[in-house]
Amino acid sequence: MTVTVEEIDRTEAPFGRVASKDYGYNVKQVDQFLDRARAFYTSEDTSHKALTSHEVRAVSFDPAKGGYEARAVDAALDRLEDVFVQRERDELIAAKGEDAWLLQIGKIASVLRGRLHRPDGERFRRAKGRVASYSTDDVDALCVELVKYFEEDKPLSVDVIRRAVFAPATGAAGYDEAQVDAFLDRVVEMMASID
């Protein structure tokens, strides 16, 4: 299911709100981002600042009392990201041909597979100092599922990757969060473009 521009109709609030004493996403920030996405998506004018699927995936909003319900916004952003990934793929194919898209996917897949085939506990760099890190066991378990998806055609939803949660670790006991997150962003990008 994909989100359409019509789904984000600004004549009424596009999402439910949490109770006034609870925290949700900042309404103004969400609305501004969705306005920007709509303007870019519907514009024939290429002078609008481009908005990419990566920006949709990376956007974050401040917490605010009485704000938009986070799960609903996150689900809409996931669908919006899928639309932007598909659009980027279609634009690449239109500009450079399907072979260019297949080459791009092949390069991404090669990088991903290289990391996925590293031994457990060695797939990502270890965090330094006493900073928060991700459980190596949890990350490695997800990587095993990704190998099955890429190499054995085992079904796996892109939303499983988007919603992955790893037990916390501290420092070198776990993987560096930024590196794992960047890797998973590339996985999401690839899965969204081929599904």
Side-chain angles (χ1 to χ4, degrees):
M1 182 170 147
T2 59
V3 70
T4 64
V5 175
E6 293 78 26
E7 281 185 275
I8 307 172
D9 183 359
R10 299 282 283 125
T11 59
E12 59 183 65
F15 306 104
R17 290 185 179 221
V18 297
S20 61
K21 64 179 174 25
D22 294 331
Y23 283 93
Y25 286 153
N26 182 293
V27 170
K28 183 176 180 181
Q29 290 174 353
V30 171
D31 289 345
Q32 286 175 341
F33 184 80
L34 294 178
D35 285 345
R36 180 176 168 221
R38 185 180 313 94
F40 174 71
Y41 191 79
T42 61
S43 178
E44 298 291 325
D45 177 8
T46 56
S47 67
H48 276 72
K49 182 181 180 306
L51 182 66
T52 66
S53 60
H54 177 74
E55 288 175 280
V56 175
R57 181 169 47 258
V59 71
S60 62
F61 307 108
D62 293 333
K65 286 189 175 184
Y68 285 140
E69 202 279 320
R71 282 190 196 157
V73 174
D74 289 345
L77 289 173
D78 290 347
R79 295 189 305 271
L80 185 64
E81 179 190 0
D82 290 343
V83 168
F84 275 71
V85 167
Q86 296 296 322
R87 183 178 184 172
E88 290 161 5
R89 181 196 68 190
D90 294 347
E91 287 173 353
L92 176 63
I93 290 171
K96 298 184 179 179
E98 189 169 354
D99 287 343
W101 174 70
L102 292 172
L103 180 62
Q104 178 180 326
I105 292 300
K107 287 178 182 177
I108 295 171
S110 177
V111 170
L112 297 178
R113 282 192 177 109
R115 188 166 298 277
L116 290 171
H117 283 289
R118 291 180 182 182
D120 285 354
E122 298 177 21
R123 287 191 172 92
F124 301 93
R125 73 176 163 253
R126 296 298 180 122
K128 294 183 180 173
R130 301 224 15 100
V131 300
S133 57
Y134 291 142
S135 160
T136 57
D137 290 343
D138 288 359
V139 174
D140 286 338
L142 181 61
C143 288
V144 168
E145 293 304 307
L146 284 168
V147 168
K148 292 176 185 175
Y149 168 80
F150 286 121
E151 298 180 2
E152 300 172 18
D153 292 327
K154 181 181 177 196
L156 183 66
S157 168
V158 68
D159 290 330
V160 169
I161 308 306
R162 285 178 173 139
R163 302 287 176 251
V165 177
F166 308 113
T170 302
Y175 287 136
D176 179 86
E177 291 182 358
Q179 190 178 36
V180 173
D181 291 344
F183 174 80
L184 294 180
D185 280 350
R186 296 309 301 265
V187 170
V188 167
E189 177 186 341
M190 182 171 176
M191 290 176 74
S193 71
I194 60 177
D195 285 342

